[in-house]
Amino acid sequence: MANSSRMNIQGLADLEKALDNLSKSVNRSVLRKSLRKAAGPMRDMAKSLAPVDDGELRDSVIIGGLLNKSQKSKHRKLTADERSSIELFVGPSYKLGAGGRHGHLVEFGTEPHIVGGVFAGAQHPGTAPQPFMRPAFDAEARPTVDRLAPLLWAEIEAAIKRQAKRNGWEA
């Protein structure tokens, strides 16, 4: 996707070792939960900045792991080393009604154009951009990364306690 960003967090060797001690499924669950929690404020800010007509666009902003067919075709493929990584996306969802289907048009605006469909031939004056995702990303990208390490440690500790309890190691 042209408007995606990638961050690589360095200096978290202890976290990586702790994650390596967990099973692959628990590891992925810990990463997914931590990322969702860390990205929550970014989602909330995007919702608060989204222009509200009927609220469908605002209500469609989610943290999700799936892309629609069009987004998938534009998203880069993971390398073999990255296949066990977790990717989550913050933005309008196509799955939550019609609200997310026009998020990109609101974010970037539209040029004047001739309308098709029911109003075929009508001249549309275009719309001005009303950014809500980019300002949320700009304000929350670094804080999201900063929130991630403590959240990961908390999730790792919780996973270890659950495993210990399941194995009868805990009184």
Side-chain angles (χ1 to χ4, degrees):
M1 285 173 63
N3 293 313
S4 66
S5 293
R6 173 173 289 280
M7 288 191 190
N8 191 5
I9 306 169
Q10 300 294 322
L12 299 176
D14 292 340
L15 264 172
E16 192 171 351
K17 286 178 189 172
L19 285 168
D20 286 343
N21 289 329
L22 302 172
S23 72
K24 188 174 182 177
S25 64
V26 172
N27 183 325
R28 290 177 65 81
S29 176
V30 162
L31 287 169
R32 192 174 291 110
K33 285 179 187 177
S34 301
L35 281 169
R36 280 187 189 280
K37 286 179 185 176
M42 184 183 297
R43 176 209 50 220
D44 296 343
M45 179 177 271
K47 282 184 171 204
S48 73
L49 295 173
V52 177
D53 182 15
D54 57 12
E56 284 185 348
L57 176 60
R58 177 200 58 219
D59 296 343
S60 76
V61 177
I62 63 165
I63 300 168
L66 301 175
L67 297 173
N68 68 32
K69 196 176 199 178
S70 171
Q71 291 166 329
K72 269 185 199 173
S73 70
K74 295 176 182 113
H75 186 61
R76 72 172 193 81
K77 305 296 181 249
L78 294 176
T79 65
D81 291 342
E82 297 171 323
R83 294 207 198 276
S84 63
S85 66
I86 300 294
E87 288 184 314
L88 293 179
F89 307 94
V90 179
S93 170
Y94 278 36
K95 295 187 185 248
L96 296 178
R101 294 196 179 276
H102 69 282
H104 62 291
L105 301 173
V106 174
E107 180 82 10
F108 301 110
T110 62
E111 293 288 323
H113 58 279
I114 305 292
V115 179
V118 176
F119 301 103
Q123 177 68 39
H124 189 284
T127 57
Q130 298 177 67
F132 61 101
M133 287 306 307
R134 187 62 197 212
F137 177 83
D138 289 345
E140 284 294 327
R142 185 83 250 160
T144 297
V145 171
D146 293 342
R147 283 189 292 272
L148 191 55
L151 289 168
L152 274 168
W153 277 119
E155 285 296 331
I156 289 169
E157 289 170 5
I160 290 170
K161 285 180 184 175
R162 282 191 302 273
Q163 186 63 45
K165 191 172 183 177
R166 242 181 264 134
N167 293 337
W169 299 335
E170 199 171 67

